[in-house]
Amino acid sequence: MKSSVVAEVPPSSFAAPAPESIGAFQAKTELSRLLREVQAGKSFVITQRGTPVAELKPLETPGKKQGWGDMKGKIRMSDDFCDPIEEMHEYME
């Protein structure tokens, strides 16, 4: 019998989407729009002549860090999670 773990966690919980690249001149002319998007959670990499030089991203605010119990009800383990794994017996002898 194989053990399996079923996680019901939205993908965005672990990995943020890759930041969008934007040139320095364009960032300067569109700063107000970029700031609104950053407030909404989006990140940007600012480049000069194609080379990344800065990152514009939301500030990490204290108190919003993940704590004990934050994932309650979002993760489910299968009933056989603690059962021995048949394939591991040869390594345990």
Side-chain angles (χ1 to χ4, degrees), residues 8-85:
E8 298 172 357
V9 179
S12 61
S13 297
F14 293 106
E20 180 181 327
S21 291
I22 187 167
F25 180 79
Q26 184 180 1
K28 182 178 82 166
T29 57
E30 298 181 23
L31 184 59
S32 295
R33 178 187 66 83
L34 294 176
L35 291 176
R36 283 192 301 274
E37 291 191 40
V38 168
Q39 284 178 319
K42 193 169 180 182
S43 296
F44 296 90
V45 171
I46 300 173
T47 62
Q48 280 187 326
R49 296 183 184 98
T51 303
V53 293
E55 186 173 15
L56 183 61
K57 63 182 185 176
L59 288 174
E60 291 186 23
T61 55
K64 287 200 167 196
K65 298 205 185 248
Q66 197 168 16
W68 292 106
D70 286 353
M71 297 301 291
K72 184 175 183 179
K74 296 180 182 177
I75 297 177
R76 183 182 65 79
M77 287 189 227
S78 66
D79 294 333
D80 64 348
F81 180 77
C82 292
D83 292 351
I85 301 171

